[in-house]
Amino acid sequence: DAAIQAYQRAVDLTPLDHARKVIYLKDLGDALRTRFGKLGQVTDLNQAYNAYQQAARSPSGHPLLRFEAALAYAELSSEHSDYSSALDAYGLFVDMIPHVVWLGQSIQRRYEEIRSSVGDAVSAAAAAAFSAGDVVKALEWLEEGRNIVWRQKLSLSTPVDDLRQQDPKLADKLESLARALDAAGSSATDGRVQ
């Protein structure tokens, strides 16, 4: 109860466009989900949905945290809600995939992301869509997942890897710039790169 109160206070005191708001919302959702698992209070479940959804839709914050919030929202909706809520939640999740598995990451990191969370969750999203009778959406999401895997396989030898063989310092500088642009896009308060 104290943890939930503290997370709620952090959420309430943090401006909407602050990069750390996603962290507080996801933590609040996790705490509410845990308490719902222990006590079974529907208000905790509804508040967890809300916290995860706000985190996933946040205009700022690290893409991986928004992705994890979208996945938690989808899993929770799939377990405890109707199909339309689950489809909305999985839609958020699928939309976040390109932000997590991006070409600026190392090849190993991209494969870890795909293997650890994307593949199974895309299958779960397609299963939820199929269960809801939306076969077109199920196929669309399966195709999106397959396309991500193929794009990653085709980019095994990224231009940065080729550049690193020719000029390691320039490759490091390019990767540093890509990380800085990603960080600026994740933490900019007004949507502009600073």
XYZ file of all heavy atoms in Angstrom, residues 91-154:
501
model
N -2.170 -3.784 -29.835
C -1.873 -2.813 -30.895
C -0.805 -1.825 -30.463
O 0.112 -1.511 -31.224
N -0.912 -1.352 -29.213
C 0.134 -0.472 -28.674
C 1.480 -1.176 -28.665
O 2.504 -0.613 -29.032
C -0.214 -0.054 -27.242
C -1.240 1.036 -27.063
C -1.604 1.178 -25.590
C -0.713 2.345 -27.594
N 1.462 -2.436 -28.227
C 2.693 -3.223 -28.161
C 3.329 -3.369 -29.547
O 4.516 -3.108 -29.729
C 2.401 -4.604 -27.549
C 3.464 -5.608 -27.834
C 4.656 -5.584 -27.140
C 3.300 -6.566 -28.825
C 5.660 -6.497 -27.412
C 4.289 -7.478 -29.103
C 5.472 -7.448 -28.397
N 2.539 -3.783 -30.524
C 3.076 -4.002 -31.871
C 3.621 -2.695 -32.445
O 4.674 -2.685 -33.090
C 2.001 -4.623 -32.796
C 2.463 -4.655 -34.239
C 1.659 -6.045 -32.324
N 2.936 -1.582 -32.177
C 3.416 -0.285 -32.657
C 4.756 0.110 -32.029
O 5.515 0.878 -32.628
C 2.389 0.816 -32.363
C 1.133 0.690 -33.208
O 1.148 -0.054 -34.222
O 0.125 1.328 -32.851
N 5.047 -0.397 -30.833
C 6.287 -0.043 -30.136
C 7.489 -0.867 -30.598
O 8.629 -0.481 -30.358
C 6.118 -0.256 -28.624
C 5.230 0.760 -27.942
S 5.840 2.457 -28.064
C 7.477 2.315 -27.378
N 7.255 -1.989 -31.258
C 8.357 -2.888 -31.628
C 9.473 -2.174 -32.393
O 10.643 -2.310 -32.035
C 7.836 -4.118 -32.404
C 6.977 -4.987 -31.490
C 9.005 -4.937 -32.964
C 6.257 -6.115 -32.206
N 9.179 -1.399 -33.424
C 10.278 -0.745 -34.152
C 11.115 0.198 -33.292
O 12.282 0.438 -33.586
C 9.560 0.033 -35.266
C 8.241 -0.631 -35.421
C 7.881 -1.138 -34.058
N 10.531 0.726 -32.219
C 11.278 1.632 -31.346
C 12.239 0.885 -30.427
O 13.168 1.475 -29.894
C 10.312 2.470 -30.501
C 9.405 3.313 -31.321
N 9.815 4.463 -31.952
C 8.102 3.148 -31.655
C 8.809 4.979 -32.625
N 7.759 4.210 -32.456
N 11.984 -0.404 -30.244
C 12.839 -1.201 -29.359
C 13.912 -1.916 -30.161
O 15.063 -1.993 -29.757
C 11.981 -2.212 -28.565
C 12.851 -3.128 -27.735
C 11.013 -1.479 -27.672
N 13.534 -2.461 -31.298
C 14.465 -3.215 -32.132
C 14.892 -2.305 -33.276
O 14.410 -2.405 -34.385
C 13.790 -4.500 -32.673
C 14.780 -5.344 -33.429
C 13.192 -5.302 -31.532
N 15.771 -1.387 -32.989
C 16.198 -0.421 -33.992
C 17.633 -0.684 -34.417
O 18.411 -1.316 -33.715
C 16.009 1.007 -33.491
C 16.858 1.403 -32.335
C 16.749 0.986 -31.057
C 17.972 2.281 -32.356
N 17.715 1.556 -30.278
C 18.481 2.355 -31.046
C 18.588 3.025 -33.354
C 19.572 3.138 -30.721
C 19.683 3.809 -33.017
C 20.153 3.858 -31.714
N 17.983 -0.193 -35.567
C 19.281 -0.506 -36.168
C 20.457 0.114 -35.443
O 21.589 -0.280 -35.673
C 19.291 -0.065 -37.634
C 18.344 -0.859 -38.529
C 18.376 -0.289 -39.938
C 18.709 -2.324 -38.539
N 20.229 1.050 -34.549
C 21.328 1.656 -33.808
C 21.870 0.743 -32.720
O 22.922 1.005 -32.156
N 21.143 -0.326 -32.410
C 21.605 -1.263 -31.386
C 22.568 -2.259 -32.009
O 22.587 -2.465 -33.218
C 20.425 -2.029 -30.783
C 19.479 -1.171 -30.001
C 18.303 -1.987 -29.483
O 17.927 -2.988 -30.051
N 17.742 -1.525 -28.395
N 23.316 -2.912 -31.143
C 24.209 -3.946 -31.636
C 23.376 -5.115 -32.154
O 22.222 -5.307 -31.765
C 25.135 -4.436 -30.515
O 24.378 -5.152 -29.554
N 23.964 -5.888 -33.034
C 23.274 -7.053 -33.591
C 22.869 -7.999 -32.469
O 21.731 -8.497 -32.436
C 24.173 -7.766 -34.616
C 24.354 -6.853 -35.838
C 23.586 -9.108 -35.015
C 25.429 -7.296 -36.793
N 23.750 -8.237 -31.518
C 23.439 -9.131 -30.400
C 22.246 -8.617 -29.605
O 21.354 -9.382 -29.255
C 24.668 -9.279 -29.483
C 24.458 -10.225 -28.315
C 24.207 -11.651 -28.758
O 24.699 -12.086 -29.794
N 23.430 -12.383 -27.987
N 22.212 -7.333 -29.348
C 21.108 -6.741 -28.582
C 19.782 -6.862 -29.337
O 18.751 -7.159 -28.753
C 21.425 -5.272 -28.277
C 20.342 -4.547 -27.534
C 20.260 -5.009 -26.108
N 19.234 -4.230 -25.441
C 18.655 -4.568 -24.335
N 19.007 -5.675 -23.733
N 17.742 -3.818 -23.798
N 19.823 -6.646 -30.657
C 18.604 -6.775 -31.455
C 18.052 -8.189 -31.370
O 16.854 -8.389 -31.199
C 18.879 -6.411 -32.919
C 18.964 -4.922 -33.136
C 19.123 -4.619 -34.597
N 20.541 -4.383 -34.851
C 21.119 -4.480 -36.028
N 20.422 -4.826 -37.078
N 22.391 -4.233 -36.169
N 18.937 -9.183 -31.483
C 18.472 -10.568 -31.407
C 17.964 -10.919 -30.011
O 17.008 -11.662 -29.856
C 19.560 -11.543 -31.847
C 19.642 -11.641 -33.338
C 20.765 -11.236 -34.022
C 18.553 -12.108 -34.079
C 20.820 -11.300 -35.403
C 18.606 -12.173 -35.452
C 19.742 -11.776 -36.109
O 19.794 -11.833 -37.472
N 18.597 -10.372 -28.989
C 18.114 -10.607 -27.628
C 16.706 -10.058 -27.456
O 15.849 -10.714 -26.861
C 19.057 -9.961 -26.604
C 20.363 -10.683 -26.435
C 21.356 -9.922 -25.564
O 20.956 -8.910 -24.941
O 22.520 -10.322 -25.519
N 16.454 -8.846 -27.970
C 15.120 -8.249 -27.865
C 14.091 -9.088 -28.605
O 13.005 -9.339 -28.097
C 15.116 -6.815 -28.410
C 15.850 -5.835 -27.552
C 15.261 -5.692 -26.161
O 14.058 -5.926 -25.972
O 16.015 -5.351 -25.253
N 14.425 -9.506 -29.817
C 13.489 -10.312 -30.594
C 13.206 -11.625 -29.890
O 12.064 -12.037 -29.722
C 14.043 -10.569 -32.014
C 14.016 -9.277 -32.829
C 13.228 -11.645 -32.730
C 14.712 -9.388 -34.156
N 14.258 -12.289 -29.446
C 14.106 -13.606 -28.825
C 13.409 -13.513 -27.473
O 12.545 -14.311 -27.161
C 15.484 -14.260 -28.665
C 15.418 -15.698 -28.218
C 16.783 -16.383 -28.209
N 17.765 -15.686 -27.422
C 18.845 -15.105 -27.932
N 19.106 -15.158 -29.201
N 19.701 -14.476 -27.147
N 13.748 -12.507 -26.661
C 13.239 -12.470 -25.293
C 11.811 -11.988 -25.183
O 11.072 -12.457 -24.331
C 14.144 -11.599 -24.419
O 14.048 -10.251 -24.809
N 11.380 -11.071 -26.010
C 10.047 -10.534 -25.786
C 9.195 -10.394 -27.032
O 7.988 -10.595 -26.966
C 10.145 -9.185 -25.080
O 10.946 -8.310 -25.811
N 9.777 -10.093 -28.134
C 8.988 -9.762 -29.305
C 8.289 -10.982 -29.893
O 7.074 -10.961 -30.111
C 9.855 -9.055 -30.373
C 9.072 -8.833 -31.643
C 10.378 -7.736 -29.821
N 9.027 -12.046 -30.125
C 8.451 -13.210 -30.798
C 7.249 -13.797 -30.086
O 6.179 -13.985 -30.687
N 7.392 -14.087 -28.810
C 6.281 -14.674 -28.056
C 5.107 -13.717 -27.944
O 3.949 -14.119 -28.037
C 6.738 -15.089 -26.652
C 7.691 -16.277 -26.671
O 7.727 -16.999 -27.692
O 8.395 -16.486 -25.667
N 5.394 -12.444 -27.742
C 4.320 -11.466 -27.584
C 3.581 -11.230 -28.899
O 2.367 -11.042 -28.899
C 4.869 -10.163 -27.026
N 4.277 -11.257 -30.028
C 3.606 -11.125 -31.317
C 2.684 -12.320 -31.533
O 1.546 -12.169 -31.991
C 4.621 -10.974 -32.477
C 3.963 -11.172 -33.825
C 5.291 -9.609 -32.420
N 3.142 -13.504 -31.158
C 2.286 -14.689 -31.263
C 1.065 -14.561 -30.363
O -0.053 -14.909 -30.767
C 3.072 -15.950 -30.890
O 4.110 -16.167 -31.803
N 1.257 -14.046 -29.147
C 0.131 -13.839 -28.228
C -0.830 -12.790 -28.780
O -2.054 -12.927 -28.659
C 0.643 -13.428 -26.848
N -0.286 -11.739 -29.383
C -1.134 -10.704 -29.978
C -1.970 -11.294 -31.106
O -3.185 -11.041 -31.191
C -0.274 -9.551 -30.506
N -1.343 -12.082 -31.958
C -2.073 -12.712 -33.062
C -3.130 -13.673 -32.527
O -4.253 -13.723 -33.047
C -1.099 -13.432 -33.984
N -2.804 -14.416 -31.480
C -3.773 -15.337 -30.880
C -4.964 -14.575 -30.308
O -6.117 -15.007 -30.453
C -3.099 -16.173 -29.797
N -4.710 -13.443 -29.675
C -5.797 -12.632 -29.125
C -6.687 -12.099 -30.248
O -7.918 -12.115 -30.132
C -5.234 -11.474 -28.295
N -6.069 -11.634 -31.324
C -6.848 -11.129 -32.460
C -7.669 -12.257 -33.086
O -8.841 -12.074 -33.416
C -5.928 -10.497 -33.501
N -7.065 -13.408 -33.215
C -7.777 -14.558 -33.776
C -8.948 -14.954 -32.881
O -10.055 -15.212 -33.354
C -6.813 -15.734 -33.968
C -7.424 -16.885 -34.702
C -7.601 -16.827 -36.079
C -7.831 -18.021 -34.028
C -8.169 -17.884 -36.760
C -8.405 -19.083 -34.698
C -8.575 -19.018 -36.077
N -8.726 -14.972 -31.561
C -9.793 -15.303 -30.609
C -10.932 -14.291 -30.661
O -12.089 -14.639 -30.426
C -9.245 -15.369 -29.182
O -8.328 -16.429 -29.057
N -10.588 -13.048 -30.964
C -11.609 -12.003 -31.067
C -12.320 -12.041 -32.416
O -13.237 -11.258 -32.653
C -10.970 -10.634 -30.855
N -11.885 -12.946 -33.282
C -12.506 -13.062 -34.590
C -11.933 -12.127 -35.627
O -12.460 -12.018 -36.734
N -10.852 -11.440 -35.304
C -10.235 -10.502 -36.242
C -9.037 -11.188 -36.904
O -7.871 -10.945 -36.566
C -9.799 -9.229 -35.512
C -9.471 -8.089 -36.458
O -9.228 -8.352 -37.658
O -9.453 -6.934 -35.990
N -9.352 -12.042 -37.871
C -8.319 -12.834 -38.542
C -7.364 -11.943 -39.326
O -6.154 -12.201 -39.372
C -8.969 -13.895 -39.463
C -7.925 -14.685 -40.224
C -9.853 -14.824 -38.651
N -7.880 -10.883 -39.906
C -7.037 -9.963 -40.676
C -5.981 -9.332 -39.771
O -4.806 -9.260 -40.122
C -7.902 -8.883 -41.369
C -7.026 -7.813 -42.012
C -8.820 -9.516 -42.388
N -6.407 -8.884 -38.582
C -5.461 -8.276 -37.629
C -4.431 -9.314 -37.177
O -3.244 -9.007 -37.055
C -6.215 -7.708 -36.424
C -5.353 -7.017 -35.398
C -4.658 -5.789 -35.904
C -5.601 -4.670 -36.175
N -4.920 -3.473 -36.697
N -4.872 -10.551 -36.926
C -3.955 -11.617 -36.514
C -2.879 -11.827 -37.572
O -1.676 -11.889 -37.254
C -4.722 -12.918 -36.257
N -3.292 -11.913 -38.827
C -2.315 -12.102 -39.908
C -1.411 -10.891 -40.070
O -0.208 -11.026 -40.322
C -3.039 -12.400 -41.219
C -3.725 -13.760 -41.286
C -4.556 -13.891 -42.558
C -2.700 -14.883 -41.192
N -1.983 -9.708 -39.915
C -1.192 -8.480 -40.008
C -0.084 -8.466 -38.957
O 1.069 -8.142 -39.256
C -2.118 -7.282 -39.819
C -1.449 -5.938 -39.887
C -2.442 -4.817 -39.600
O -3.516 -4.784 -40.234
O -2.129 -3.974 -38.739
N -0.435 -8.815 -37.715
C 0.559 -8.804 -36.644
C 1.599 -9.901 -36.821
O 2.778 -9.690 -36.554
C -0.123 -8.895 -35.282
C -0.790 -7.617 -34.883
C -0.599 -6.374 -35.419
C -1.761 -7.442 -33.855
N -1.388 -5.447 -34.794
C -2.108 -6.061 -33.832
C -2.367 -8.302 -32.957
C -3.036 -5.539 -32.930
C -3.286 -7.786 -32.056
C -3.621 -6.416 -32.049
N 1.182 -11.077 -37.280
C 2.160 -12.134 -37.553
C 3.124 -11.699 -38.662
O 4.329 -11.945 -38.578
C 1.452 -13.439 -37.935
C 0.799 -14.193 -36.799
C -0.031 -15.360 -37.347
C 1.841 -14.700 -35.807
N 2.573 -11.068 -39.670
C 3.405 -10.573 -40.772
C 4.376 -9.506 -40.285
O 5.546 -9.485 -40.671
C 2.510 -10.023 -41.891
C 3.262 -9.600 -43.123
C 3.875 -10.749 -43.894
O 3.500 -11.911 -43.669
O 4.774 -10.479 -44.717
N 3.905 -8.608 -39.420
C 4.777 -7.574 -38.862
C 5.929 -8.209 -38.081
O 7.088 -7.813 -38.223
C 3.983 -6.632 -37.955
C 4.816 -5.564 -37.279
C 5.394 -4.538 -38.230
O 4.877 -4.369 -39.341
O 6.389 -3.893 -37.848
N 5.616 -9.203 -37.264
C 6.662 -9.900 -36.510
C 7.662 -10.578 -37.429
O 8.875 -10.497 -37.223
N 7.157 -11.244 -38.463
C 8.041 -11.912 -39.425
C 8.912 -10.896 -40.156
O 10.111 -11.110 -40.346
C 7.197 -12.712 -40.421
C 8.007 -13.562 -41.373
C 7.115 -14.316 -42.335
N 6.477 -13.461 -43.310
C 7.064 -13.011 -44.412
N 8.312 -13.324 -44.674
N 6.408 -12.246 -45.245
N 8.324 -9.767 -40.526
C 9.094 -8.727 -41.223
C 10.215 -8.183 -40.353
O 11.307 -7.901 -40.849
C 8.176 -7.578 -41.656
C 7.346 -7.932 -42.862
O 7.691 -8.839 -43.618
N 6.238 -7.240 -43.039
N 9.954 -8.015 -39.072
C 10.992 -7.509 -38.172
C 12.163 -8.475 -38.122
O 13.323 -8.077 -38.227
C 10.419 -7.259 -36.764
C 9.491 -6.048 -36.808
C 11.528 -7.055 -35.735
C 8.645 -5.891 -35.574
N 11.855 -9.760 -37.974
C 12.926 -10.766 -37.929
C 13.729 -10.745 -39.219
O 14.965 -10.730 -39.194
C 12.342 -12.172 -37.658
C 13.399 -13.240 -37.824
C 11.749 -12.224 -36.259
N 13.057 -10.706 -40.364
C 13.775 -10.705 -41.635
C 14.587 -9.432 -41.839
O 15.718 -9.484 -42.336
C 12.805 -10.908 -42.807
C 12.491 -12.364 -42.985
C 11.327 -12.987 -42.676
C 13.380 -13.371 -43.466
N 11.439 -14.335 -42.929
C 12.694 -14.591 -43.426
C 14.687 -13.359 -43.920
C 13.268 -15.792 -43.821
C 15.262 -14.564 -44.320
C 14.559 -15.761 -44.272
N 14.032 -8.299 -41.455
C 14.806 -7.050 -41.581
C 16.082 -7.121 -40.739
O 17.138 -6.651 -41.158
C 13.961 -5.849 -41.161
C 13.001 -5.381 -42.219
C 12.393 -4.034 -41.874
N 11.703 -4.036 -40.601
C 10.395 -4.052 -40.428
N 9.602 -4.066 -41.478
N 9.854 -4.038 -39.232
N 15.965 -7.699 -39.552
C 17.140 -7.808 -38.698
C 18.166 -8.765 -39.304
O 19.360 -8.490 -39.287
C 16.741 -8.274 -37.298
C 15.857 -7.298 -36.557
C 16.490 -5.930 -36.442
O 17.661 -5.809 -36.116
N 15.717 -4.895 -36.712
N 17.714 -9.872 -39.843
C 18.644 -10.826 -40.460
C 19.328 -10.211 -41.673
O 20.515 -10.430 -41.898
C 17.916 -12.109 -40.848
C 17.583 -12.964 -39.660
C 17.018 -14.285 -40.069
C 16.771 -15.100 -38.816
N 16.614 -16.506 -39.066
N 18.583 -9.443 -42.444
C 19.167 -8.817 -43.631
C 20.165 -7.722 -43.284
O 21.016 -7.372 -44.089
C 18.058 -8.248 -44.520
C 17.196 -9.288 -45.222
C 16.040 -8.601 -45.956
C 18.026 -10.116 -46.195
